[in-house]
Amino acid sequence: MQRLIPTGEAARPVAFAEVPQPVSEPGEVLIKVEAFAPNRGETFLLEHPRPGLLPGKDIAGLVVQAAADGSGPGIGARVVGHPALGGWAEYAAVPTHSLAVLPDGIDSVRAAALPLAGITALRLLRTAGSLAGRRVLLTGAAGGVGHYVTELAVGAGAELTAVTATPVRGERLAQLGARVVHDVAAAQGPFDVVLESTGGPDLPIALSKVRPGGLLVWFGQASRIPVTLDFFELFKGPERVTIQHFHYAGAPYGSDLAALVRLVERGLLHPEIGRIADWTETADTLVDLRERRIRGKAVLLTGGAR
């Protein structure tokens, strides 16, 4: 079969290789991948790939071999999965605890856009707690996570302000009910909850906009610039603010994937897909994703997606 592997080259970060099909563990199904969605964080790993790196965490496709231990769906089931690695390939082995069966009404393209960004959004909002009637600030909002967080938070009754770099990147967020600004300094606080994913100089500014006793959840550093906090500068801002580090990872993922599928099926969640392309265009897509030239998610098709 064909698989995309890292090259270590910035301009062409992946290339095709002919490799054997993966051998499933007893608790895994073998999936014929129809579509996959790279994440911006994966593009960073490709800059200096560790030996043996097999990228790919967000996939959708068809079960062609059931799990030997009897768990999970049978042959022929259409599924969305979140394996630890190896999804940018014609076939991928996925633990049955980290996939969900797709109904007929959800195609592989939308399904592939769900896993990492959608799971992150669900778990991030659980960390933030009940949002009904609360004022929320979301930075770095134009990516896949930001679109999901916006739609889910507004749907839960939050008054959400989203920060995007440009007006174009904020158009869809405004349609979803967010107030959009293009500089975190322009956000009009105070906010009950800040969801911060940019890092660098933006985090201290966002922190200054939290109400006394409020919460800042730090879930990313998209700027790739470390954060510096001045202890004495904090005296000028709100008191008793909690800063909480957040990372989405932790299997099993199946129940969250099933929840995301239900939300999409009921019309309560709409994946924002900025590019759909054949997987022969993966290298160029990864560069554009890394350089933030794609709004929302990018989905690559291996053939036969529906």
Side-chain angles (χ1 to χ4, degrees), residues 262-306:
R262 288 194 299 271
L263 288 167
V264 173
E265 187 177 28
R266 293 166 59 190
L268 300 175
L269 190 66
H270 300 82
E272 180 71 11
I273 300 172
R275 179 178 300 178
I276 302 171
D278 188 84
W279 72 325
T280 56
E281 300 178 38
T282 300
D284 292 336
T285 299
L286 290 170
V287 173
D288 288 342
L289 194 63
R290 183 186 68 212
E291 301 302 322
R292 294 179 171 177
R293 293 194 282 260
I294 298 173
R295 183 177 66 184
K297 299 289 294 182
V299 177
L300 287 307
L301 309 179
T302 64
R306 60 187 181 93

Side-chain angles (χ1 to χ4, degrees), residues 169-234:
R169 292 179 70 84
E171 288 175 353
R172 177 58 178 157
L173 300 173
Q175 294 171 4
L176 292 173
R179 180 176 185 268
V180 179
V181 298
H182 309 299
D183 187 326
V184 67
Q188 298 179 3
F191 295 96
D192 300 291
V193 177
V194 170
L195 306 174
E196 212 295 299
S197 66
T198 306
D202 284 354
L203 189 146
I205 298 171
L207 181 61
S208 72
K209 298 178 179 291
V210 184
R211 67 162 175 80
L215 172 67
L216 183 146
V217 183
W218 186 10
F219 72 101
Q221 192 160 290
S223 68
R224 310 186 74 180
I225 300 172
V227 171
T228 300
L229 292 177
D230 186 330
F231 178 82
F232 297 102
E233 190 69 21
L234 292 178

